[in-house]
Amino acid sequence: MKKRKAPCIKKLSAQMPEASLSHARKSLDALKQLTSESVAIADGMHQIIQKLMSPWQEQNIFLAIDENFRLLTDIIGDDIGLIKGKHAILGGKVQAGVVYIESITDEELVSSQVIEPLLLGKVDLNTRQEAVLELIQSKFIYVPNTKNSSRMGEIVESLLSGDTVLFINGLNTALIIGSGKIVKRSIEKPENEGTVLASLESFIEDLDANCSMVIKRLPTSALRFETFTKGVLSRTKIKLLWIDGSSNAKIVEEARSRITQINIDNIDGIGVLAELIEDNPWSIFPQYRQTQRPDVVAKALADGHFAVLCSNSPFAFFAPTSLWDNFKTMDDYAERSSSASYLRIARYMAFLMSILLSPLYLSFVTFNQIIVPPSLAANIATGREGVPFPSGVELLLLTFGITVIREGALRITGSVGYFIGTLAAVVIGQATVAAGYVSASIIIVVAVAEISAFAIATTTLVYTSRLINYFFVILSSVFGIFGLINGIAIIFWHLASLESFGVPYLYPVIPFDLAAMKDTFLRIGVLKKRLRILAPGNRTRTDK
Amino acid sequence: MLKNIKLTREQVFFLVFIGTLGNIVYCHTWIDDETDRAAWVAAFVGILLVIPFAVWIMYLGKSHQGETIFDILESGLGRFPCAVVSAIYILINIAVAVAMLNMFTQLLKAFFYPYTPVWVIMLFLVLMAVLFANGSFKVFARTVELLSILGLLNFIVSFSFAFPRYIHPKYVIPIFDTSLLGFIKGTVFMTGAASECLLLLLVMVSFIPDPAKHYLWVVKGLVFCAAVFSSAILVIIAMLSPEVAKRIAFGAVNAAKLIEVGDFLHGLELFVYGTYQFIAIGKTTICLYCAWTAAKKMFNNWHPRVQLLLTALLIFLPAVWLNSYIKAYQLAVLLSSYIILPFCVVILLLTSITVLLKKKNAGSSSK
Amino acid sequence: MKKRLLLLLVYLALALTLPGCWDYVEYENITQVIGMGIDYDSKTQETTISIQFPALKKRTGGSETTAPSQWIVQSATEKTFYGALTKLQETVPNRLFLGYLKVIIIGEEAAKYNLMDTIDYFDRTPSLRSSANIVIAAGKAEDVLKTIRPDRGRPASDEIHTLIHGSTESGAAYPVTVNDFIQMLAIGGWEATAPRVSSVAAKAQQEDTKGGTQESIRANEERIGSQRVAGLAAFKGDKFVGWLNEKESMGVGWITGKKMHAYKVSEPAGGVGAEELYYHVTDSNSKIKVRLVNGLPIIDVDVKVVADLKKYSRGEGADFLSAEAVSDAEKKLTDNIRSDIDAALIRGQKELNTDIFGFGFAFFREYPGLWQDKYEAQWANIFPCIPINVTVHAKVINTGSNISKLIIR
């Protein structure tokens, strides 16, 4: 091993004047100074950044009214219709600032129930500053719907709901006064669910009005509400309704938990809400029932279902439903039971016809000709002479064509709509037959199938039936009745696997409940017992 | 999840119903030579004779709720004998499914689709069976309920058109025109054919809640099946006369071909055929499911989906290879006469011994 | 759920992409055969099959023609039954579809020599409706099939079909479907019968005015004339043995209890100057019982007939029919019916020696064991000698809408 040479230690400062100790010490002190200063600056900057970054929601109210006003302008802007006013109230003792958004607030109420009494009121000279707010709230505001708040977030939210905010100079609590008023529709006839003998009210976009319609039909203390606010942008108010003692508590609990788990930015309407909480959004069958009528909702609640209403949507939905609920209308319960049973059976037949007629026709005409009666055979054969398309293609084209016509007719307005409808149906139909593009029997089959689809009570199921129809048509065009029966088995299997909030979709047929069958395919008498799964606690409907 | 499935009364009822009606709907003509006009009585009594065995299975499941018979066997005899028994069970199930598929496909080809290749039809049926077996058994049980009810309705409505013109009482009376020996032979054959439901029950007993208490469900299902099937045979005999009826290959479809109401309504065999298709779908799925359960047990749940597909292939390929109604018919007759019932009896005996031994061991160990 | 959806999509994809549609036949591409005729030439041992089907015209735009305007008959001759069918398929433009078959006409020679080929084919082919009616033609089936009325209103098959079903009104024959026929063939102790059809050509017309021949295929044949369905053909086993005329056919109908509505005429009631009585039979019923006496079967046939009295206007006696007069009328009717039955029995039992009445079957139902052991084999031998006791009960229940006769003043 080499021996290391001992380093020669000499003074470095002889060669480098900067290396002298004192110099180093001086530089070190300067560095320390710099560092501490920059730390202070950083602290200060950090504080400022904190202040800037902290959400204004958590911010507390300033003591000065003007600062509050400025913050509000920064947050929501004046152009939304922000009205700010400063008044010397209570005999000039207190400075107050009133803020509201003019389009959604009842200005009449603000001026007469809030500002007027405050301006006219007088207060003792020796009231404390802190007690002023409580005094105002109890003695001078004529509106009972008030609350305090000191967080800016809450203030802004209430402003956007149409409330008026009262700031008091020198207090960091503000008073929020409920004064919302929005323009709403009057209660009209339900457009999509017409009936003959039942009530003709329908929901509107205002949640309170809707709730009022339900409450007046079930004015009982057992009717329970629960409010949620969901949707980051839309802040939609959702109300869950059920009847305590009649509904299955487990099902309500399940609904509650699903609604609380919703995480979305905008709830467009009740349909979106339903899709977010239903069991199987991919299925073609709806596992809830959407309705526009308050009497349907009231009946469902009484039967043990739970209902959900939300603001800005004139529809409500209730669950858990079964397949058979889609065929019930309120007319059934208003008519006599024999007529009602007949009509309900007619609806089921219409549904079956709409999904089975065209595939059966197709398979009879192309694969299994043996079942066609001979008298029809010659007709059909002559009808098909010269048609360029094969039967399956013809059928699909026409079915699709009718869908397009219907969609178009839905959007054409007014009198033009009637004209176009007639044009499409009659003229195009006739012309295509006359020109020899399609055969007459196909048009009849397609038209009958399409029309009978609309006899079903719920519109959701109408489109379901059209989809099933397409599925069956494809299967039967390839395989005749073998494919059709396979398709039927698959649809059964799908139905058997669906559950709506824990209730099997085909209940009360499977699993079987004899007492409930009285209201499934027929309507025999007034149902005396509620369905077993829906209302396990309280099954009897009558007092006896 | 498997353990949580509890079948309801109607589901057990209809599963037993479909489980019994498998190959028996085609090969019941085998005994017509011997039972002649009493064929329907032989069918009724024959199916009823399966009840004791079914109840036996239920009682065996009493002490081991939620387990299949094979689980009990395994715990008693050890893995290897149970594997042997399971292998035979799988083979029998595959044979039943192959015979069923073939006979149904030939029904389709003879009546409606003479030019379609056999493998296409079988492929679709097996695919459907895979689809159904893949899902939950409870869903399948519900589907079977629906299909059975629809099939029954279908049958009854189609044949209600046969009254009164096509039903000839003089073909039915006198009922007993054969020797007692022939009748007994026929009955025993029917029992053998109907014991396909025992094959299903061996696996299904795990899903029935409290089997010993609810044995009546199975009994009712079997009685119902006996009544329905024997009345079907009765109607066929009344319509076709037993001499003609013993020659036909496809039972009720042949009979429904005759019905013509007025000039308008005919070709009702198409609807009766629907019932046969439901039976084929249900039975194929049941056989696939039973074989799959036994296979899963044997191979200890290794990649169950792959096992399902393999089992399906094992059903599909021999079925296509067999491709003949006559051979399938003979296979079904062979199975019904000699194989299914004895196999089930052997399994039941083994299981009973196992249970008794266990009880004795448990009794002696508790002292 | 996703897995299920996937599986379902696989299913659909297979359904769409598999080169399926082997059995896909468009409606206008099938030939709807409504009538078929089968002939056999015992000299050349060739079978001729004729079929009748509509010729579908292309629709001229706008107008809806619902009924085809022309019915075509085509025939082909070949050594075997199946050969003839194949040859026919060569000339017919579309796939032959036998599901709408209404009538199967079997020529006399074919019925004598070659029935089993035909019957076996019909039995085994499910696509052929077994509710088609069988008739036996006197002469050649081809001739019957191509006969059409001068107004060309309906094709021969339709006509014959209607006539067959109308024959229950006259009692001259009764409808026999393919299925009935097969049952009668299969059941021991019951021989088969089938209605008879004959056709008549219009006067002053040459045969085969239309149509041509090419290599034993004849197309577009037509002959003006008309058909008639009356009488029965009797079979022994699968061979045709003889015709029954109308009286004998009616007798067979009475014995076997077929529901017939016949008009019967009886000898006059009362003395000279009276005229015949007309009856309209509305219901008939029969019971066949078999007794064994000393090993020999004796057959009791009990026929019950209900009729209206349709004519009595002249003749002696009161205005109202008395009870004795009614009994007298009944007796006359009884005698008349009995004569029908006797004629049938003579023809069937003695002349043709074939048990078309089903007595053997009745025996089987009474004594199944004995039948199967002993009697079935010997039935052909003992049948001609079996004593048959016939009792007829006729009842006259009303006299139409009038109760007393029309008296001309």
Side-chain angles (χ1 to χ4, degrees), chain A residues 4 22 26 51 104 106 111-112 132 145 152 158 160 196 206 246 248 283 299 311 324 381 415 449 480 527:
Chain A
R4 271 172 66 192
S22 51
K26 268 195 241 152
K51 254 201 192 160
I104 52 179
D106 188 355
S111 66
S112 61
V132 163
N145 184 7
M152 199 43 108
S158 348
L160 286 169
V196 176
D206 184 34
S246 280
N248 194 340
S283 159
K299 178 165 185 55
S311 50
W324 326 109
S415 48
L527 206 57

PDB file of all heavy atoms in Angstrom, chain A residues 4 22 26 51 104 106 111-112 132 145 152 158 160 196 206 246 248 283 299 311 324 381 415 449 480 527:
ATOM      1  N   ARG A   4       0.094   7.393   2.016  1.00  0.00           N
ATOM      2  CA  ARG A   4      -0.430   8.667   1.550  1.00  0.00           C
ATOM      3  C   ARG A   4       0.438   9.770   2.067  1.00  0.00           C
ATOM      4  O   ARG A   4       0.777   9.800   3.259  1.00  0.00           O
ATOM      5  CB  ARG A   4      -1.865   8.853   2.032  1.00  0.00           C
ATOM      6  CG  ARG A   4      -2.824   8.266   1.022  1.00  0.00           C
ATOM      7  CD  ARG A   4      -4.219   8.264   1.539  1.00  0.00           C
ATOM      8  NE  ARG A   4      -4.713   9.620   1.709  1.00  0.00           N
ATOM      9  CZ  ARG A   4      -5.816   9.911   2.362  1.00  0.00           C
ATOM     10  NH1 ARG A   4      -6.507   8.953   2.954  1.00  0.00           N
ATOM     11  NH2 ARG A   4      -6.217  11.144   2.479  1.00  0.00           N
ATOM     12  N   SER A  22     -12.813  35.756   7.917  1.00  0.00           N
ATOM     13  CA  SER A  22     -13.682  36.879   8.213  1.00  0.00           C
ATOM     14  C   SER A  22     -14.584  37.165   7.029  1.00  0.00           C
ATOM     15  O   SER A  22     -15.799  37.456   7.177  1.00  0.00           O
ATOM     16  CB  SER A  22     -12.832  38.109   8.563  1.00  0.00           C
ATOM     17  OG  SER A  22     -11.849  38.296   7.546  1.00  0.00           O
ATOM     18  N   LYS A  26     -18.597  37.137   7.033  1.00  0.00           N
ATOM     19  CA  LYS A  26     -19.447  38.237   6.579  1.00  0.00           C
ATOM     20  C   LYS A  26     -20.449  37.746   5.556  1.00  0.00           C
ATOM     21  O   LYS A  26     -21.648  38.059   5.603  1.00  0.00           O
ATOM     22  CB  LYS A  26     -18.564  39.340   5.975  1.00  0.00           C
ATOM     23  CG  LYS A  26     -18.149  40.409   6.970  1.00  0.00           C
ATOM     24  CD  LYS A  26     -17.592  41.631   6.229  1.00  0.00           C
ATOM     25  CE  LYS A  26     -16.144  41.778   6.697  1.00  0.00           C
ATOM     26  NZ  LYS A  26     -15.237  42.387   5.803  1.00  0.00           N
ATOM     27  N   LYS A  51     -55.036  33.240   0.928  1.00  0.00           N
ATOM     28  CA  LYS A  51     -56.251  34.028   0.882  1.00  0.00           C
ATOM     29  C   LYS A  51     -56.902  33.942  -0.487  1.00  0.00           C
ATOM     30  O   LYS A  51     -58.112  33.801  -0.615  1.00  0.00           O
ATOM     31  CB  LYS A  51     -55.899  35.498   1.188  1.00  0.00           C
ATOM     32  CG  LYS A  51     -56.318  35.957   2.531  1.00  0.00           C
ATOM     33  CD  LYS A  51     -56.418  37.467   2.545  1.00  0.00           C
ATOM     34  CE  LYS A  51     -56.552  37.921   3.985  1.00  0.00           C
ATOM     35  NZ  LYS A  51     -56.205  39.311   4.148  1.00  0.00           N
ATOM     36  N   ILE A 104     -85.332  36.087  -9.801  1.00  0.00           N
ATOM     37  CA  ILE A 104     -85.911  34.952  -9.097  1.00  0.00           C
ATOM     38  C   ILE A 104     -86.437  35.330  -7.719  1.00  0.00           C
ATOM     39  O   ILE A 104     -86.780  34.465  -6.923  1.00  0.00           O
ATOM     40  CB  ILE A 104     -84.889  33.809  -8.962  1.00  0.00           C
ATOM     41  CG1 ILE A 104     -83.583  34.321  -8.364  1.00  0.00           C
ATOM     42  CG2 ILE A 104     -84.624  33.191 -10.306  1.00  0.00           C
ATOM     43  CD1 ILE A 104     -82.572  33.208  -8.191  1.00  0.00           C
ATOM     44  N   ASP A 106     -89.035  37.555  -5.186  1.00  0.00           N
ATOM     45  CA  ASP A 106     -90.304  38.253  -5.125  1.00  0.00           C
ATOM     46  C   ASP A 106     -90.031  39.660  -4.613  1.00  0.00           C
ATOM     47  O   ASP A 106     -89.950  39.895  -3.391  1.00  0.00           O
ATOM     48  CB  ASP A 106     -91.220  37.472  -4.177  1.00  0.00           C
ATOM     49  CG  ASP A 106     -92.640  37.989  -4.183  1.00  0.00           C
ATOM     50  OD1 ASP A 106     -92.891  39.016  -4.859  1.00  0.00           O
ATOM     51  OD2 ASP A 106     -93.487  37.371  -3.524  1.00  0.00           O
ATOM     52  N   SER A 111     -89.752  44.331  -0.642  1.00  0.00           N
ATOM     53  CA  SER A 111     -89.950  45.731  -0.257  1.00  0.00           C
ATOM     54  C   SER A 111     -90.980  45.866   0.841  1.00  0.00           C
ATOM     55  O   SER A 111     -90.829  46.681   1.745  1.00  0.00           O
ATOM     56  CB  SER A 111     -90.363  46.548  -1.480  1.00  0.00           C
ATOM     57  OG  SER A 111     -91.625  46.117  -1.899  1.00  0.00           O
ATOM     58  N   SER A 112     -92.025  45.081   0.817  1.00  0.00           N
ATOM     59  CA  SER A 112     -93.071  45.323   1.811  1.00  0.00           C
ATOM     60  C   SER A 112     -92.881  44.528   3.086  1.00  0.00           C
ATOM     61  O   SER A 112     -93.274  44.998   4.152  1.00  0.00           O
ATOM     62  CB  SER A 112     -94.442  44.982   1.215  1.00  0.00           C
ATOM     63  OG  SER A 112     -94.461  43.618   0.855  1.00  0.00           O
ATOM     64  N   VAL A 132     -78.842  42.809  17.731  1.00  0.00           N
ATOM     65  CA  VAL A 132     -79.680  43.478  16.728  1.00  0.00           C
ATOM     66  C   VAL A 132     -80.286  42.468  15.781  1.00  0.00           C
ATOM     67  O   VAL A 132     -81.478  42.514  15.442  1.00  0.00           O
ATOM     68  CB  VAL A 132     -78.818  44.493  15.955  1.00  0.00           C
ATOM     69  CG1 VAL A 132     -79.503  44.889  14.681  1.00  0.00           C
ATOM     70  CG2 VAL A 132     -78.591  45.711  16.831  1.00  0.00           C
ATOM     71  N   ASN A 145     -89.702  32.543   7.225  1.00  0.00           N
ATOM     72  CA  ASN A 145     -88.683  31.650   6.672  1.00  0.00           C
ATOM     73  C   ASN A 145     -87.348  32.359   6.677  1.00  0.00           C
ATOM     74  O   ASN A 145     -86.909  32.919   5.674  1.00  0.00           O
ATOM     75  CB  ASN A 145     -89.108  31.274   5.254  1.00  0.00           C
ATOM     76  CG  ASN A 145     -88.157  30.278   4.623  1.00  0.00           C
ATOM     77  OD1 ASN A 145     -87.265  29.772   5.274  1.00  0.00           O
ATOM     78  ND2 ASN A 145     -88.376  30.027   3.360  1.00  0.00           N
ATOM     79  N   MET A 152     -69.864  32.658   3.357  1.00  0.00           N
ATOM     80  CA  MET A 152     -70.198  33.241   2.065  1.00  0.00           C
ATOM     81  C   MET A 152     -70.814  32.202   1.141  1.00  0.00           C
ATOM     82  O   MET A 152     -71.674  32.528   0.326  1.00  0.00           O
ATOM     83  CB  MET A 152     -68.914  33.804   1.432  1.00  0.00           C
ATOM     84  CG  MET A 152     -69.197  34.808   0.351  1.00  0.00           C
ATOM     85  SD  MET A 152     -70.483  35.964   0.760  1.00  0.00           S
ATOM     86  CE  MET A 152     -69.582  37.422   1.023  1.00  0.00           C
ATOM     87  N   SER A 158     -77.956  30.722  -1.271  1.00  0.00           N
ATOM     88  CA  SER A 158     -79.325  31.167  -1.045  1.00  0.00           C
ATOM     89  C   SER A 158     -79.698  32.273  -2.008  1.00  0.00           C
ATOM     90  O   SER A 158     -80.855  32.344  -2.452  1.00  0.00           O
ATOM     91  CB  SER A 158     -79.530  31.687   0.371  1.00  0.00           C
ATOM     92  OG  SER A 158     -78.458  31.362   1.175  1.00  0.00           O
ATOM     93  N   LEU A 160     -78.802  32.487  -5.012  1.00  0.00           N
ATOM     94  CA  LEU A 160     -79.141  31.852  -6.284  1.00  0.00           C
ATOM     95  C   LEU A 160     -80.454  31.096  -6.198  1.00  0.00           C
ATOM     96  O   LEU A 160     -81.008  30.700  -7.216  1.00  0.00           O
ATOM     97  CB  LEU A 160     -78.025  30.899  -6.710  1.00  0.00           C
ATOM     98  CG  LEU A 160     -76.786  31.617  -7.209  1.00  0.00           C
ATOM     99  CD1 LEU A 160     -75.648  30.646  -7.362  1.00  0.00           C
ATOM    100  CD2 LEU A 160     -77.089  32.253  -8.548  1.00  0.00           C
ATOM    101  N   VAL A 196    -109.781   8.835 -19.471  1.00  0.00           N
ATOM    102  CA  VAL A 196    -111.142   9.280 -19.719  1.00  0.00           C
ATOM    103  C   VAL A 196    -111.830   9.664 -18.422  1.00  0.00           C
ATOM    104  O   VAL A 196    -112.479  10.683 -18.311  1.00  0.00           O
ATOM    105  CB  VAL A 196    -111.902   8.144 -20.428  1.00  0.00           C
ATOM    106  CG1 VAL A 196    -113.336   8.533 -20.615  1.00  0.00           C
ATOM    107  CG2 VAL A 196    -111.256   7.851 -21.751  1.00  0.00           C
ATOM    108  N   ASP A 206     -92.413  22.886 -10.999  1.00  0.00           N
ATOM    109  CA  ASP A 206     -92.085  23.400  -9.683  1.00  0.00           C
ATOM    110  C   ASP A 206     -92.217  22.291  -8.648  1.00  0.00           C
ATOM    111  O   ASP A 206     -93.279  21.685  -8.512  1.00  0.00           O
ATOM    112  CB  ASP A 206     -93.033  24.556  -9.360  1.00  0.00           C
ATOM    113  CG  ASP A 206     -92.685  25.209  -8.056  1.00  0.00           C
ATOM    114  OD1 ASP A 206     -91.472  25.257  -7.748  1.00  0.00           O
ATOM    115  OD2 ASP A 206     -93.597  25.640  -7.354  1.00  0.00           O
ATOM    116  N   SER A 246     -96.186   1.331   5.276  1.00  0.00           N
ATOM    117  CA  SER A 246     -96.662   0.593   4.111  1.00  0.00           C
ATOM    118  C   SER A 246     -95.526   0.092   3.259  1.00  0.00           C
ATOM    119  O   SER A 246     -95.597  -0.998   2.714  1.00  0.00           O
ATOM    120  CB  SER A 246     -97.553   1.482   3.248  1.00  0.00           C
ATOM    121  OG  SER A 246     -98.828   1.541   3.778  1.00  0.00           O
ATOM    122  N   ASN A 248     -91.688  -1.126   2.237  1.00  0.00           N
ATOM    123  CA  ASN A 248     -90.674  -1.994   2.781  1.00  0.00           C
ATOM    124  C   ASN A 248     -89.469  -1.141   3.153  1.00  0.00           C
ATOM    125  O   ASN A 248     -88.872  -0.509   2.305  1.00  0.00           O
ATOM    126  CB  ASN A 248     -90.292  -3.012   1.704  1.00  0.00           C
ATOM    127  CG  ASN A 248     -89.512  -4.154   2.253  1.00  0.00           C
ATOM    128  OD1 ASN A 248     -88.938  -4.050   3.325  1.00  0.00           O
ATOM    129  ND2 ASN A 248     -89.505  -5.244   1.524  1.00  0.00           N
ATOM    130  N   SER A 283     -80.576  -2.697 -19.572  1.00  0.00           N
ATOM    131  CA  SER A 283     -81.670  -3.543 -20.036  1.00  0.00           C
ATOM    132  C   SER A 283     -82.643  -2.730 -20.859  1.00  0.00           C
ATOM    133  O   SER A 283     -82.750  -1.522 -20.713  1.00  0.00           O
ATOM    134  CB  SER A 283     -82.377  -4.150 -18.834  1.00  0.00           C
ATOM    135  OG  SER A 283     -83.662  -4.543 -19.190  1.00  0.00           O
ATOM    136  N   LYS A 299    -101.309   6.623  -5.878  1.00  0.00           N
ATOM    137  CA  LYS A 299    -101.697   5.224  -5.784  1.00  0.00           C
ATOM    138  C   LYS A 299    -100.483   4.351  -5.532  1.00  0.00           C
ATOM    139  O   LYS A 299    -100.514   3.415  -4.737  1.00  0.00           O
ATOM    140  CB  LYS A 299    -102.369   4.808  -7.079  1.00  0.00           C
ATOM    141  CG  LYS A 299    -102.739   3.369  -7.018  1.00  0.00           C
ATOM    142  CD  LYS A 299    -103.705   2.993  -8.086  1.00  0.00           C
ATOM    143  CE  LYS A 299    -104.128   1.564  -7.879  1.00  0.00           C
ATOM    144  NZ  LYS A 299    -104.656   1.331  -6.557  1.00  0.00           N
ATOM    145  N   SER A 311     -86.877  18.848  -8.859  1.00  0.00           N
ATOM    146  CA  SER A 311     -87.298  20.137  -9.375  1.00  0.00           C
ATOM    147  C   SER A 311     -86.968  20.226 -10.842  1.00  0.00           C
ATOM    148  O   SER A 311     -86.078  19.560 -11.351  1.00  0.00           O
ATOM    149  CB  SER A 311     -86.602  21.264  -8.605  1.00  0.00           C
ATOM    150  OG  SER A 311     -85.224  21.024  -8.561  1.00  0.00           O
ATOM    151  N   TRP A 324     -95.675  -5.856 -15.166  1.00  0.00           N
ATOM    152  CA  TRP A 324     -97.108  -5.676 -15.319  1.00  0.00           C
ATOM    153  C   TRP A 324     -97.567  -4.269 -14.953  1.00  0.00           C
ATOM    154  O   TRP A 324     -98.635  -3.842 -15.378  1.00  0.00           O
ATOM    155  CB  TRP A 324     -97.850  -6.703 -14.467  1.00  0.00           C
ATOM    156  CG  TRP A 324     -97.132  -7.980 -14.397  1.00  0.00           C
ATOM    157  CD1 TRP A 324     -96.487  -8.498 -13.324  1.00  0.00           C
ATOM    158  CD2 TRP A 324     -96.926  -8.916 -15.454  1.00  0.00           C
ATOM    159  NE1 TRP A 324     -95.911  -9.693 -13.624  1.00  0.00           N
ATOM    160  CE2 TRP A 324     -96.161  -9.978 -14.932  1.00  0.00           C
ATOM    161  CE3 TRP A 324     -97.304  -8.971 -16.796  1.00  0.00           C
ATOM    162  CZ2 TRP A 324     -95.780 -11.060 -15.699  1.00  0.00           C
ATOM    163  CZ3 TRP A 324     -96.926 -10.054 -17.550  1.00  0.00           C
ATOM    164  CH2 TRP A 324     -96.172 -11.071 -16.999  1.00  0.00           C
ATOM    165  N   ALA A 381     -99.502 -14.574 -52.280  1.00  0.00           N
ATOM    166  CA  ALA A 381     -98.577 -14.867 -53.369  1.00  0.00           C
ATOM    167  C   ALA A 381     -98.704 -13.856 -54.483  1.00  0.00           C
ATOM    168  O   ALA A 381     -97.703 -13.360 -55.007  1.00  0.00           O
ATOM    169  CB  ALA A 381     -98.826 -16.272 -53.885  1.00  0.00           C
ATOM    170  N   SER A 415    -100.371  22.639 -37.787  1.00  0.00           N
ATOM    171  CA  SER A 415    -101.190  22.099 -38.863  1.00  0.00           C
ATOM    172  C   SER A 415    -100.344  21.386 -39.895  1.00  0.00           C
ATOM    173  O   SER A 415    -100.790  20.463 -40.554  1.00  0.00           O
ATOM    174  CB  SER A 415    -101.992  23.220 -39.521  1.00  0.00           C
ATOM    175  OG  SER A 415    -101.122  24.293 -39.800  1.00  0.00           O
ATOM    176  N   ALA A 449     -98.828  -3.552 -36.356  1.00  0.00           N
ATOM    177  CA  ALA A 449     -97.881  -3.776 -35.261  1.00  0.00           C
ATOM    178  C   ALA A 449     -97.475  -2.460 -34.617  1.00  0.00           C
ATOM    179  O   ALA A 449     -97.397  -2.351 -33.395  1.00  0.00           O
ATOM    180  CB  ALA A 449     -96.649  -4.508 -35.799  1.00  0.00           C
ATOM    181  N   GLY A 480     -86.799 -18.556 -39.252  1.00  0.00           N
ATOM    182  CA  GLY A 480     -88.190 -18.928 -39.165  1.00  0.00           C
ATOM    183  C   GLY A 480     -88.607 -19.104 -37.728  1.00  0.00           C
ATOM    184  O   GLY A 480     -88.125 -18.435 -36.829  1.00  0.00           O
ATOM    185  N   LEU A 527    -108.557  -4.227  -4.835  1.00  0.00           N
ATOM    186  CA  LEU A 527    -107.540  -5.066  -4.230  1.00  0.00           C
ATOM    187  C   LEU A 527    -107.535  -4.889  -2.724  1.00  0.00           C
ATOM    188  O   LEU A 527    -107.452  -3.784  -2.211  1.00  0.00           O
ATOM    189  CB  LEU A 527    -106.184  -4.662  -4.788  1.00  0.00           C
ATOM    190  CG  LEU A 527    -105.123  -5.722  -4.785  1.00  0.00           C
ATOM    191  CD1 LEU A 527    -105.587  -6.915  -5.543  1.00  0.00           C
ATOM    192  CD2 LEU A 527    -103.882  -5.157  -5.435  1.00  0.00           C
TER     193      LEU A 527
END
